[in-house]
Amino acid sequence: MVIGIIGAMSEELEILLKEMSLEKKDIKAKMEFNYGTLWGKKVVAVVCGIGKVNAAVCAQILASEYKVDKVINVGIAGGIGENIRPGDLVIADSLVQHDMDATAFGDKRGQIPRLDTFDFKSDTKLVELAYNCSKESNEHKSFVGRIATGDEFVASVDKIRFLNKEFNAIACEMEGGSIAHVCYLNSIPFVVIRSISDNANTGAHMDFDKFKDIAVKNSTNILKNMLKLI
Ligand code: ADE
């Protein structure tokens, strides 16, 4: 079994790449695919770059060329709602692309026209495993819910209200929904696990810098616990 691990930014995979026993490194589509063993499991770990196109290209390479059996996307996200704070973990049970808009044709916002699903559902076993491995503490809580993905760093209260009202989303980020889409098309079980770096409001970019490191640590820890049990 080979597990594909995707992070959007180098910081998001920095800790695990240091711990990995590397067998080979391939460059494809300007991305480094690190193949080897991590915490006892065969993995291909890759930094895909920011945004939906990078993430989709990366996920498709993992599917077509590495024939991965599962995909896990780890990283950071903006939290939606007052209960969710920086450092908390969000495990996506489903994802939507909030910037997909074919409402002019009568589709609901987020619906990819002519696709037979509205949202992309994470593998239920991976969600359960992730939740059990998330080890809530005084420092962080864990939430399971929908993530809204789009090519936008969300930094406005109006937008987070919209994402919550329209999609019932509890976090927003820029890759998960497109990785989920590619996994759906290739029938690969996946899960998206994010730790909150900011509350996607007007101070989001400053919080992002402040809390990024702790958020990365939290999402890496959960992955470590999961890989031992997968
Ligand atoms: N990733 C981390 N914070 C984010 C935000 N506020 N919007 C989109 N992606 C993010």
Side-chain angles (χ1 to χ4, degrees):
M1 182 181 51
V2 184
I3 301 164
I5 298 173
I6 305 177
M9 304 185 301
S10 55
E11 300 95 303
E12 289 172 317
L13 289 196
E14 196 179 347
I15 306 174
L16 70 86
L17 286 177
K18 275 193 197 135
E19 300 225 2
M20 196 173 155
S21 142
L22 192 67
E23 280 168 44
K24 64 173 179 145
K25 191 189 288 233
D26 305 317
I27 311 278
K28 293 173 193 283
K30 299 196 162 83
M31 301 171 196
E32 283 184 3
F33 289 78
N34 300 278
Y35 182 92
T37 307
L38 177 68
W39 300 314
K41 293 287 162 0
K42 277 274 168 280
V43 303
V44 189
V46 49
V47 174
C48 69
I50 293 168
K52 288 178 8 198
V53 172
N54 283 326
V57 167
C58 178
Q60 189 58 50
I61 291 173
L62 286 174
S64 306
E65 302 199 22
Y66 294 92
K67 315 260 182 261
V68 295
D69 300 284
K70 298 176 199 303
V71 169
I72 303 178
N73 171 218
V74 286
I76 57 186
I80 298 178
E82 260 135 54
N83 300 337
I84 302 190
R85 303 211 167 82
D88 286 348
L89 282 162
V90 170
I91 300 151
D93 59 359
S94 97
L95 299 101
V96 290
Q97 294 171 21
H98 67 75
D99 54 356
M100 173 56 74
D101 184 352
T103 50
F105 292 96
D107 279 331
K108 188 171 153 36
R109 180 85 182 252
Q111 172 68 49
I112 294 158
R114 304 184 187 199
L115 196 68
D116 59 354
T117 187
F118 173 67
D119 61 351
F120 300 103
K121 294 194 174 45
S122 293
D123 179 68
T124 48
K125 287 204 187 90
L126 288 175
V127 171
E128 202 180 303
L129 180 67
Y131 187 74
N132 292 337
C133 288
S134 69
K135 298 205 176 21
E136 282 190 297
S137 69
N138 288 341
E139 265 121 65
H140 75 266
K141 293 206 175 323
S142 305
F143 297 87
V144 175
R146 186 180 273 165
I147 287 183
T149 299
D151 282 323
E152 171 182 358
F153 184 85
V154 177
S156 101
V157 175
D158 284 350
K159 192 66 191 245
I160 48 180
R161 280 203 191 118
F162 169 76
L163 295 178
N164 183 250
K165 195 159 164 271
E166 183 78 16
F167 301 111
N168 204 17
I170 61 170
C172 57
E173 38 82 306
M174 302 171 76
E175 298 82 22
S178 91
I179 292 168
H181 187 166
V182 172
C183 288
Y184 174 78
L185 296 177
N186 290 274
S187 303
I188 297 173
F190 69 90
V191 67
V192 176
I193 302 165
R194 299 277 178 148
S195 182
I196 300 304
S197 57
D198 57 81
N199 278 104
N201 51 21
T202 41
H205 64 291
M206 288 180 304
D207 286 347
F208 179 86
D209 288 333
K210 189 163 152 205
F211 294 113
K212 179 171 53 84
D213 292 348
I214 178 78
V216 166
K217 215 172 104 212
N218 289 350
S219 71
T220 308
N221 276 343
I222 182 172
L223 182 68
K224 185 173 186 172
N225 297 336
M226 280 177 79
L227 283 189
K228 287 183 197 146
L229 296 173
I230 231 162

